[in-house]
Amino acid sequence: MSHDAHGDVTVDVLELADELAGAGGTASEEAAEYAMRLGDDALVLAQRLGAWISRAPEIEEDVALANIALDLIGHARSLLHYAGTASGRSEDDLAYFRDEPEFRSAWLFEQPNGDFGHTIARQLVAAVYLFELYGRLTASADPTLAAIAAKAVKEVDYHRDHAVQWVLRLAGGTEESRRRMIVALADIWPYVDELFRDDELHDALGEAAVRPSTLREPFDAAIAAVFAEAGLDEPRTSIARGGGRRGIHTEHLGPMLAEMQVLARAHPGASW
Amino acid sequence: MRERPRAAAADGRDAASTRAWEVAATVTDPEIPVLTIEDLGVLRSAEADGDRAHVTITPTYSGCPAMDAIRDDVVLALTAAGYTRVDVDLVLSPAWTTDWMTETGKEKLRRYGIQAPTGRAAHRDGPVRVQLAVKCPRCDSLDTRELARFGSTSCKALYECRSCLEPFDYFKVI
């Protein structure tokens, strides 16, 4: 027995998500597909937000967006780890070694950062939606999904608050900030609808999943309250076709994935 | 579901498990080294059987990078104490809350210059988020303001004191 704690002792490389007791189960094929959708939403949004680091309007915002991205990466790890149990793949396999058509994220999350107003508009929609989603998913019949959601909802609550504060500030700020907030919301709004579309996967999962259409009403109510306080009207825009859940994406996802995946693909299996 | 990890250890079946708890409880948070994982409420259970130990910890935030280090350190501490087989599980449920932070831990935090969580986490279906005044850990003034909700780590917000004019970290309620 060595008294030097770092002497004889070897600690295996830690696979954090492997140890998640809450995620101890093996996902059914349907649950894996569902977890992949949620995990991809979180991963893609985290990557987008990470691009603000060193670019945000103030240093506190660099830190805030990075913190939010970090929470989302945590959610993505848990969800993709669980998704991977159905096919023997790790969360890294799923994040770095799937191509664009295999991603299941909705179009909203892959939209470019645009100016800060666009990022905040996307954050408002994402955080309000995720808060409603995870709040309901805590009652999932699938204990792993319920555990991940119970953890995530508390964090997403802070993300929602952050986005709402910024919407109020930008909408009530200068003429220019208000103008940009309105433009950004109009640009983001076509991608809202896709988040609430049901498909056969939700039929198959039953009580294990949250039926997206049932989230529309609380989402609209929460957004209406923010818009009322900010003196904004809900944008009247067309609705984007969508298709992310089936692997059909906008032209924005590919370049983002290329940047996210290049290092892992150049040095497969490397650790650093 | 154990609301009070320390009590769980004290009530525990045997002295061996209590000893494993005490060893694991010496591990500190790599980012806030004055706090042990027991102070934080991150240590949820410890069981021992001969030279085997089984410890359960819970992550503070989903993406918190300290968890890898904490898990390493728990293994190292127990191995150094003579356990040859150490398992550490991470549990997500029930989700960690700052309500599990011990009073000792909160006092240590304040002395370290980080204001401890003020009040308790909201009931999940509670209607309003009440913003309680956050006291300056240096001069105890309540005349403070939030500079940034997201501070140097996920768990902290950045405040400034309008009395002594010093900035300080606040450990957010979650």
Side-chain angles (χ1 to χ4, degrees):
Chain A
M1 189 70 255
S2 167
H3 289 288
D4 173 6
H6 295 270
D8 300 340
V9 180
T10 314
V11 177
D12 294 335
V13 173
L14 296 170
E15 292 292 341
L16 186 71
D18 278 352
E19 310 296 335
L20 288 175
T26 301
S28 66
E29 227 169 273
E30 291 83 11
E33 177 72 16
Y34 184 67
M36 198 168 338
R37 291 180 180 186
L38 306 189
D40 284 351
D41 287 350
L43 179 65
V44 167
L45 184 57
Q47 180 71 14
R48 278 283 185 243
L49 292 176
W52 274 106
I53 295 173
S54 83
R55 297 288 181 277
E58 52 190 36
I59 194 169
E60 287 78 8
E61 214 33 47
D62 260 6
V63 175
L65 294 173
N67 266 316
I68 292 170
L70 190 59
D71 288 342
L72 292 167
I73 286 173
H75 307 160
R77 283 191 75 178
S78 298
L79 288 161
L80 292 181
H81 168 77
Y82 185 48
T85 57
S87 54
R89 288 179 288 180
S90 72
E91 74 254 30
D92 279 2
D93 292 338
L94 291 173
Y96 298 124
F97 296 94
R98 272 184 304 150
D99 294 323
E100 190 186 335
E102 297 163 279
F103 269 75
R104 292 290 177 262
S105 44
W107 284 11
L108 173 85
F109 303 98
E110 69 201 45
Q111 292 311 300
N113 282 339
D115 65 12
F116 188 66
H118 281 92
T119 287
I120 291 303
R122 192 183 59 205
Q123 275 308 99
L124 178 73
V125 174
V128 170
Y129 159 74
L130 290 173
F131 181 74
E132 299 297 337
L133 169 68
Y134 287 136
R136 289 270 308 282
L137 196 60
T138 56
S140 169
D142 181 318
T144 304
L145 291 174
I148 295 169
K151 187 84 197 146
V153 71
K154 295 166 67 155
E155 295 159 10
V156 170
D157 195 10
Y158 270 107
H159 306 172
R160 185 181 63 146
D161 199 41
H162 169 267
V164 170
Q165 296 308 320
W166 268 114
V167 169
L168 295 178
R169 208 191 290 187
L170 295 176
T174 63
E175 261 174 49
E176 177 64 5
S177 72
R178 181 174 177 81
R179 184 189 70 77
R180 289 213 204 178
M181 192 70 249
I182 290 169
V183 168
L185 286 166
D187 288 347
I188 283 298
W189 227 249
Y191 306 103
V192 171
D193 194 72
E194 183 185 11
L195 302 173
F196 303 101
R197 291 179 199 163
D198 301 338
D199 63 26
E200 61 284 352
L201 181 67
H202 306 109
D203 299 333
L205 280 165
E207 296 300 308
V210 176
R211 191 168 280 278
S213 58
T214 62
L215 296 173
R216 187 71 209 234
E217 214 179 286
F219 172 86
D220 284 345
I223 290 287
V226 177
F227 282 178
E229 199 179 343
L232 293 167
D233 296 319
E234 184 174 318
R236 291 168 186 274
T237 59
S238 56
I239 290 173
R241 185 163 47 91
R245 305 302 189 204
R246 301 190 309 280
I248 300 161
H249 293 280
T250 66
E251 71 271 29
H252 305 300
L253 184 64
M256 196 211 84
L257 290 182
E259 188 181 350
M260 185 179 89
Q261 296 178 332
V262 63
L263 194 64
R265 289 187 180 208
H267 305 280
S271 65
W272 54 82
Chain B
M1 201 186 290
R2 288 170 185 164
E3 288 296 315
R4 291 182 185 178
R6 186 191 267 282
D11 301 345
R13 280 128 286 179
D14 53 70
S17 294
T18 306
R19 180 172 167 265
W21 174 281
E22 282 165 1
V23 173
T26 61
V27 171
T28 56
D29 184 305
E31 284 165 343
I32 312 172
V34 292
L35 289 188
T36 68
I37 57 173
E38 180 185 53
D39 293 330
L40 275 165
V42 159
L43 180 58
R44 303 302 294 152
S45 71
E47 282 158 32
D49 183 9
D51 56 0
R52 299 176 58 156
H54 183 191
V55 172
T56 308
I57 56 177
T58 185
T60 51
Y61 280 73
S62 299
C64 181
M67 288 314 293
D68 280 320
I70 288 174
R71 194 177 163 283
D72 259 354
D73 290 347
V74 168
V75 173
L76 288 169
L78 285 159
T79 312
Y83 296 92
T84 52
R85 165 90 194 266
V86 180
D87 295 309
V88 180
D89 279 335
L90 276 155
V91 288
L92 290 180
S93 179
W96 179 80
T97 162
T98 40
D99 294 351
W100 292 345
M101 201 181 280
T102 64
E103 285 308 316
T104 322
K106 288 181 183 176
E107 185 48 38
K108 284 193 222 167
L109 255 190
R110 279 189 285 268
R111 284 206 305 269
Y112 189 59
I114 299 174
Q115 187 51 267
T118 303
R120 295 178 66 84
H123 184 273
R124 228 188 63 64
D125 298 324
V128 208
R129 184 200 296 281
V130 179
Q131 185 63 57
L132 298 171
V134 172
K135 200 184 267 190
C136 172
R138 288 171 188 276
C139 72
D140 284 347
S141 168
L142 283 168
D143 187 14
T144 62
R145 76 182 186 106
E146 180 185 274
L147 294 178
R149 179 74 44 90
F150 294 87
S152 52
T153 61
S154 297
C155 49
K156 287 177 279 181
L158 183 63
Y159 272 68
E160 83 174 351
C161 175
R162 291 202 263 214
S163 298
C164 70
L165 306 180
E166 289 289 336
F168 65 91
D169 272 335
Y170 169 56
F171 205 111
K172 289 182 285 194
V173 173
I174 192 169

Tab-separated table of all heavy atoms in Angstrom, chain A residues 27-58:
chain	number	residue	atom	x	y	z
A	27	ALA	N	-31.178	1.321	-23.500
A	27	ALA	CA	-32.327	1.935	-24.143
A	27	ALA	C	-32.939	0.999	-25.171
A	27	ALA	O	-32.224	0.269	-25.866
A	27	ALA	CB	-31.898	3.236	-24.810
A	28	SER	N	-34.255	1.010	-25.275
A	28	SER	CA	-34.919	0.325	-26.378
A	28	SER	C	-34.588	1.113	-27.641
A	28	SER	O	-34.119	2.245	-27.570
A	28	SER	CB	-36.430	0.316	-26.157
A	28	SER	OG	-36.927	1.641	-26.224
A	29	GLU	N	-34.847	0.525	-28.787
A	29	GLU	CA	-34.533	1.213	-30.034
A	29	GLU	C	-35.280	2.539	-30.145
A	29	GLU	O	-34.721	3.551	-30.572
A	29	GLU	CB	-34.907	0.317	-31.208
A	29	GLU	CG	-33.819	0.229	-32.256
A	29	GLU	CD	-34.131	-0.870	-33.260
A	29	GLU	OE1	-33.761	-2.034	-32.995
A	29	GLU	OE2	-34.747	-0.542	-34.273
A	30	GLU	N	-36.530	2.539	-29.703
A	30	GLU	CA	-37.332	3.768	-29.784
A	30	GLU	C	-36.826	4.809	-28.804
A	30	GLU	O	-36.713	5.987	-29.147
A	30	GLU	CB	-38.817	3.473	-29.495
A	30	GLU	CG	-39.530	2.664	-30.552
A	30	GLU	CD	-39.294	1.163	-30.407
A	30	GLU	OE1	-38.741	0.746	-29.357
A	30	GLU	OE2	-39.647	0.416	-31.329
A	31	ALA	N	-36.528	4.371	-27.568
A	31	ALA	CA	-36.033	5.325	-26.574
A	31	ALA	C	-34.697	5.906	-27.027
A	31	ALA	O	-34.408	7.088	-26.807
A	31	ALA	CB	-35.888	4.648	-25.210
A	32	ALA	N	-33.874	5.073	-27.687
A	32	ALA	CA	-32.577	5.545	-28.169
A	32	ALA	C	-32.766	6.623	-29.229
A	32	ALA	O	-32.067	7.640	-29.238
A	32	ALA	CB	-31.772	4.383	-28.745
A	33	GLU	N	-33.702	6.413	-30.117
A	33	GLU	CA	-33.969	7.396	-31.168
A	33	GLU	C	-34.454	8.715	-30.547
A	33	GLU	O	-34.018	9.799	-30.940
A	33	GLU	CB	-35.023	6.831	-32.137
A	33	GLU	CG	-35.462	7.776	-33.258
A	33	GLU	CD	-34.395	7.985	-34.331
A	33	GLU	OE1	-33.443	7.193	-34.391
A	33	GLU	OE2	-34.519	8.965	-35.103
A	34	TYR	N	-35.302	8.588	-29.558
A	34	TYR	CA	-35.828	9.780	-28.889
A	34	TYR	C	-34.707	10.509	-28.144
A	34	TYR	O	-34.568	11.738	-28.245
A	34	TYR	CB	-36.935	9.348	-27.918
A	34	TYR	CG	-37.642	10.488	-27.223
A	34	TYR	CD1	-38.441	11.373	-27.938
A	34	TYR	CD2	-37.529	10.667	-25.838
A	34	TYR	CE1	-39.108	12.411	-27.289
A	34	TYR	CE2	-38.195	11.694	-25.194
A	34	TYR	CZ	-38.983	12.571	-25.920
A	34	TYR	OH	-39.638	13.593	-25.286
A	35	ALA	N	-33.884	9.754	-27.418
A	35	ALA	CA	-32.774	10.359	-26.678
A	35	ALA	C	-31.794	11.026	-27.638
A	35	ALA	O	-31.203	12.069	-27.328
A	35	ALA	CB	-32.055	9.301	-25.840
A	36	MET	N	-31.650	10.440	-28.826
A	36	MET	CA	-30.736	11.024	-29.810
A	36	MET	C	-31.271	12.367	-30.312
A	36	MET	O	-30.513	13.311	-30.503
A	36	MET	CB	-30.516	10.060	-30.970
A	36	MET	CG	-29.280	10.429	-31.745
A	36	MET	SD	-28.672	9.239	-32.946
A	36	MET	CE	-29.292	7.679	-32.508
A	37	ARG	N	-32.556	12.453	-30.505
A	37	ARG	CA	-33.141	13.728	-30.923
A	37	ARG	C	-32.839	14.815	-29.887
A	37	ARG	O	-32.359	15.897	-30.221
A	37	ARG	CB	-34.660	13.596	-31.068
A	37	ARG	CG	-35.105	12.724	-32.218
A	37	ARG	CD	-36.614	12.659	-32.276
A	37	ARG	NE	-37.069	11.823	-33.394
A	37	ARG	CZ	-38.334	11.687	-33.756
A	37	ARG	NH1	-39.289	12.318	-33.068
A	37	ARG	NH2	-38.659	10.929	-34.771
A	38	LEU	N	-33.118	14.495	-28.624
A	38	LEU	CA	-32.915	15.492	-27.572
A	38	LEU	C	-31.423	15.787	-27.392
A	38	LEU	O	-31.016	16.938	-27.193
A	38	LEU	CB	-33.509	15.016	-26.245
A	38	LEU	CG	-34.979	14.585	-26.230
A	38	LEU	CD1	-35.443	14.351	-24.799
A	38	LEU	CD2	-35.875	15.605	-26.912
A	39	GLY	N	-30.619	14.739	-27.461
A	39	GLY	CA	-29.181	14.913	-27.294
A	39	GLY	C	-28.586	15.747	-28.421
A	39	GLY	O	-27.726	16.602	-28.193
A	40	ASP	N	-29.056	15.511	-29.639
A	40	ASP	CA	-28.544	16.276	-30.780
A	40	ASP	C	-28.971	17.743	-30.689
A	40	ASP	O	-28.186	18.648	-31.005
A	40	ASP	CB	-29.030	15.664	-32.102
A	40	ASP	CG	-28.271	14.386	-32.452
A	40	ASP	OD1	-27.276	14.085	-31.761
A	40	ASP	OD2	-28.672	13.686	-33.406
A	41	ASP	N	-30.199	18.002	-30.261
A	41	ASP	CA	-30.625	19.392	-30.048
A	41	ASP	C	-29.643	20.102	-29.109
A	41	ASP	O	-29.177	21.210	-29.378
A	41	ASP	CB	-32.028	19.439	-29.406
A	41	ASP	CG	-33.151	19.064	-30.371
A	41	ASP	OD1	-32.886	18.945	-31.582
A	41	ASP	OD2	-34.302	18.912	-29.899
A	42	ALA	N	-29.354	19.435	-27.984
A	42	ALA	CA	-28.482	20.044	-26.967
A	42	ALA	C	-27.065	20.219	-27.496
A	42	ALA	O	-26.438	21.266	-27.304
A	42	ALA	CB	-28.481	19.178	-25.700
A	43	LEU	N	-26.561	19.199	-28.188
A	43	LEU	CA	-25.178	19.245	-28.683
A	43	LEU	C	-25.000	20.350	-29.732
A	43	LEU	O	-24.033	21.112	-29.693
A	43	LEU	CB	-24.805	17.886	-29.286
A	43	LEU	CG	-23.408	17.766	-29.878
A	43	LEU	CD1	-22.346	17.922	-28.791
A	43	LEU	CD2	-23.233	16.430	-30.588
A	44	VAL	N	-25.920	20.420	-30.667
A	44	VAL	CA	-25.811	21.402	-31.751
A	44	VAL	C	-25.921	22.825	-31.182
A	44	VAL	O	-25.142	23.708	-31.535
A	44	VAL	CB	-26.901	21.135	-32.821
A	44	VAL	CG1	-27.015	22.304	-33.792
A	44	VAL	CG2	-26.577	19.847	-33.571
A	45	LEU	N	-26.841	23.024	-30.249
A	45	LEU	CA	-26.977	24.357	-29.656
A	45	LEU	C	-25.733	24.720	-28.842
A	45	LEU	O	-25.263	25.868	-28.881
A	45	LEU	CB	-28.232	24.417	-28.780
A	45	LEU	CG	-28.550	25.781	-28.176
A	45	LEU	CD1	-28.698	26.851	-29.251
A	45	LEU	CD2	-29.812	25.720	-27.312
A	46	ALA	N	-25.188	23.746	-28.136
A	46	ALA	CA	-23.975	24.001	-27.346
A	46	ALA	C	-22.827	24.432	-28.250
A	46	ALA	O	-22.079	25.361	-27.937
A	46	ALA	CB	-23.581	22.747	-26.560
A	47	GLN	N	-22.700	23.752	-29.388
A	47	GLN	CA	-21.622	24.101	-30.328
A	47	GLN	C	-21.820	25.522	-30.855
A	47	GLN	O	-20.868	26.295	-30.948
A	47	GLN	CB	-21.611	23.085	-31.474
A	47	GLN	CG	-20.546	23.311	-32.526
A	47	GLN	CD	-19.136	22.996	-32.031
A	47	GLN	OE1	-18.957	22.372	-30.982
A	47	GLN	NE2	-18.130	23.441	-32.775
A	48	ARG	N	-23.044	25.867	-31.179
A	48	ARG	CA	-23.336	27.221	-31.645
A	48	ARG	C	-22.964	28.258	-30.573
A	48	ARG	O	-22.336	29.272	-30.864
A	48	ARG	CB	-24.823	27.359	-31.975
A	48	ARG	CG	-25.202	26.829	-33.349
A	48	ARG	CD	-24.795	27.791	-34.438
A	48	ARG	NE	-25.239	27.366	-35.753
A	48	ARG	CZ	-24.432	27.065	-36.764
A	48	ARG	NH1	-23.121	27.102	-36.610
A	48	ARG	NH2	-24.923	26.727	-37.943
A	49	LEU	N	-23.369	28.001	-29.340
A	49	LEU	CA	-23.124	28.980	-28.278
A	49	LEU	C	-21.638	29.110	-27.969
A	49	LEU	O	-21.152	30.196	-27.660
A	49	LEU	CB	-23.898	28.596	-27.010
A	49	LEU	CG	-25.419	28.704	-27.126
A	49	LEU	CD1	-26.086	28.209	-25.841
A	49	LEU	CD2	-25.859	30.132	-27.432
A	50	GLY	N	-20.928	27.980	-28.087
A	50	GLY	CA	-19.491	28.009	-27.828
A	50	GLY	C	-18.763	28.957	-28.762
A	50	GLY	O	-17.717	29.522	-28.410
A	51	ALA	N	-19.318	29.160	-29.956
A	51	ALA	CA	-18.670	30.045	-30.930
A	51	ALA	C	-18.691	31.506	-30.487
A	51	ALA	O	-17.990	32.335	-31.051
A	51	ALA	CB	-19.355	29.906	-32.294
A	52	TRP	N	-19.484	31.823	-29.453
A	52	TRP	CA	-19.505	33.203	-28.961
A	52	TRP	C	-18.322	33.524	-28.050
A	52	TRP	O	-18.043	34.694	-27.776
A	52	TRP	CB	-20.804	33.476	-28.179
A	52	TRP	CG	-21.941	33.905	-29.062
A	52	TRP	CD1	-23.016	33.154	-29.424
A	52	TRP	CD2	-22.118	35.183	-29.703
A	52	TRP	NE1	-23.843	33.880	-30.241
A	52	TRP	CE2	-23.311	35.126	-30.431
A	52	TRP	CE3	-21.366	36.361	-29.729
A	52	TRP	CZ2	-23.799	36.211	-31.171
A	52	TRP	CZ3	-21.835	37.441	-30.463
A	52	TRP	CH2	-23.037	37.356	-31.180
A	53	ILE	N	-17.652	32.478	-27.572
A	53	ILE	CA	-16.576	32.729	-26.608
A	53	ILE	C	-15.532	33.651	-27.235
A	53	ILE	O	-15.031	33.374	-28.327
A	53	ILE	CB	-15.929	31.404	-26.145
A	53	ILE	CG1	-16.959	30.575	-25.376
A	53	ILE	CG2	-14.717	31.680	-25.255
A	53	ILE	CD1	-16.487	29.181	-25.011
A	54	SER	N	-15.279	34.726	-26.567
A	54	SER	CA	-14.367	35.814	-26.989
A	54	SER	C	-15.009	36.740	-28.007
A	54	SER	O	-14.373	37.661	-28.497
A	54	SER	CB	-13.029	35.289	-27.534
A	54	SER	OG	-13.145	34.933	-28.900
A	55	ARG	N	-16.287	36.527	-28.355
A	55	ARG	CA	-16.940	37.368	-29.358
A	55	ARG	C	-18.163	38.105	-28.803
A	55	ARG	O	-18.752	38.927	-29.484
A	55	ARG	CB	-17.415	36.515	-30.549
A	55	ARG	CG	-16.308	35.823	-31.310
A	55	ARG	CD	-15.498	36.822	-32.127
A	55	ARG	NE	-14.439	36.189	-32.900
A	55	ARG	CZ	-13.247	35.876	-32.421
A	55	ARG	NH1	-12.948	36.132	-31.150
A	55	ARG	NH2	-12.329	35.307	-33.190
A	56	ALA	N	-18.573	37.757	-27.591
A	56	ALA	CA	-19.814	38.318	-27.056
A	56	ALA	C	-19.642	39.815	-26.769
A	56	ALA	O	-18.517	40.306	-26.652
A	56	ALA	CB	-20.215	37.571	-25.787
A	57	PRO	N	-20.784	40.545	-26.668
A	57	PRO	CA	-20.698	41.995	-26.473
A	57	PRO	C	-20.010	42.415	-25.182
A	57	PRO	O	-19.478	43.518	-25.099
A	57	PRO	CB	-22.158	42.452	-26.473
A	57	PRO	CG	-23.011	41.260	-26.654
A	57	PRO	CD	-22.156	40.078	-26.876
A	58	GLU	N	-20.033	41.583	-24.174
A	58	GLU	CA	-19.303	41.920	-22.949
A	58	GLU	C	-18.777	40.630	-22.347
A	58	GLU	O	-19.293	39.544	-22.635
A	58	GLU	CB	-20.204	42.662	-21.951
A	58	GLU	CG	-21.512	41.954	-21.655
A	58	GLU	CD	-22.479	42.814	-20.852
A	58	GLU	OE1	-22.518	44.038	-21.081
A	58	GLU	OE2	-23.171	42.246	-19.998
